[in-house]
Amino acid sequence: MIDPDASLGRAFEMRFTSTPRGARLARRLAAHRLDAWGVPYDTDRHDAIVLVVAELTVNAVRHGQVPGRDFHLRLQAIARARTVRVEVTDTRAERVPPRPDALPVPGAEDTGGRGLLLVAGLASRWGWYLRPEGPGKTVWAECVLTGTTTCTSATFVT
């Protein structure tokens, strides 16, 4: 788990309806929050993190939806680690994604199965765990904002 004191108060979390509209709203609010934190719109690092948010929230709607239950998004900027962590929690525990080292590569004719491959390509690392406090799981991804990863340097606004 990430040290909560390391975020310097840069965290955003909210519940959304498990619908395409909820996933779209989560993506838009995350994009706005990143810009406010100093990861500006129309930069590679901003677009990469927003795409990770989009993929994880759409997966929560498609594969983790339980009727009448919402999904939860948490976005955290960890200044000391120069990282943005995305966590999406749903309430469906019996449908879990593959582990990062076991992602299947879809065939050319497959119409799905590429979302987590995108996440793996854009994030520094990702994974998932079952929720200890209730039914469901949390899928998370971290994007380092410096170095040779897809997301490159940013300065958090203090």
Side-chain angles (χ1 to χ4, degrees):
M1 288 298 229
I2 297 296
D3 175 8
D5 295 331
S7 71
L8 300 177
R10 303 269 192 273
F12 167 77
E13 55 187 305
M14 183 177 256
R15 293 198 181 282
F16 297 89
T17 59
S18 289
T19 63
R21 185 177 186 184
R24 187 171 52 252
L25 179 58
R27 176 181 47 87
R28 288 183 175 176
L29 290 175
H32 177 73
R33 187 56 52 117
L34 288 167
D35 183 64
W37 288 346
V39 184
Y41 284 109
D42 296 325
T43 61
D44 289 344
R45 62 191 167 270
H46 183 276
D47 293 346
I49 297 167
V50 171
L51 184 54
V52 167
V53 169
E55 291 299 332
L56 295 184
T57 57
V58 165
N59 281 351
V61 170
R62 286 188 184 156
H63 307 293
Q65 192 237 17
V66 173
R69 300 279 177 97
D70 299 336
F71 72 87
H72 182 260
L73 169 68
R74 178 172 171 79
L75 190 65
Q76 182 178 15
I78 301 118
R80 199 170 46 219
R82 312 291 302 150
T83 300
V84 172
R85 181 175 172 105
V86 178
E87 296 179 353
V88 177
T89 302
D90 64 54
T91 55
R92 193 163 186 185
E94 73 276 7
R95 290 192 71 183
V96 296
R99 291 291 175 191
D101 58 353
L103 271 178
V105 177
E109 299 298 317
D110 292 335
T111 59
R114 290 171 179 79
L116 287 177
L117 288 173
L118 281 171
V119 170
L122 294 170
S124 308
R125 61 191 194 121
W126 73 277
W128 62 270
Y129 57 89
L130 293 175
R131 291 178 58 206
E133 72 279 355
K137 65 192 166 297
T138 298
V139 183
W140 58 269
E142 294 178 351
C143 188
V144 176
L145 296 173
T146 59
T148 59
T149 61
T150 302
C151 298
T152 55
S153 66
T155 304
F156 291 125
V157 176
T158 56

